[in-house]
Amino acid sequence: MSHHPTNFQGSVTDAIREAILAKMAADDVQVSGGGGHYTIVVVSSEFAGKSMVAQQRLVYGAIAHLMAGDMAPVHAVDSLRTIIP
């Protein structure tokens, strides 16, 4: 795991999970990782009928504020899995 400098206070994994849940109805959100690199799995019926790219855009849109700026707590999403229940 690499280290990415940030001035973010608190749990980044919790912040990612909470941001996703605030923007979309999800049955499950799993976030793991650290050092600026994260793995995200989201299970949501909101993905039904959407392309894989559209599904990923929903998730990235929810966490965009955590990826913005030089000191952003999220440097990269190494893996993003979207699942339709």
Side-chain angles (χ1 to χ4, degrees), residues 3 19 21 28 32 39 41 44-45 48 52 55 65-66 70 72 74 78-79 84:
H3 176 70
L21 290 170
D28 189 30
S32 60
T39 296
V41 178
S44 176
S45 57
M52 184 67 65
Q55 293 173 24
H65 66 287
L66 296 170
D70 291 339
V74 179
D78 294 335
S79 174
I84 301 167

Side-chain angles (χ1 to χ4, degrees), residues 60-84:
Y60 278 114
I63 64 170
H65 66 287
L66 296 170
M67 299 180 78
D70 291 339
M71 297 293 282
V74 179
H75 174 69
V77 175
D78 294 335
S79 174
L80 172 56
R81 221 172 133 210
T82 57
I83 301 168
I84 301 167

Side-chain angles (χ1 to χ4, degrees), residues 21-43:
L21 290 170
K23 293 285 184 180
M24 59 186 300
D27 297 330
D28 189 30
V29 178
Q30 299 173 17
V31 182
S32 60
H37 292 256
Y38 296 90
T39 296
I40 303 171
V41 178
V42 181
V43 179

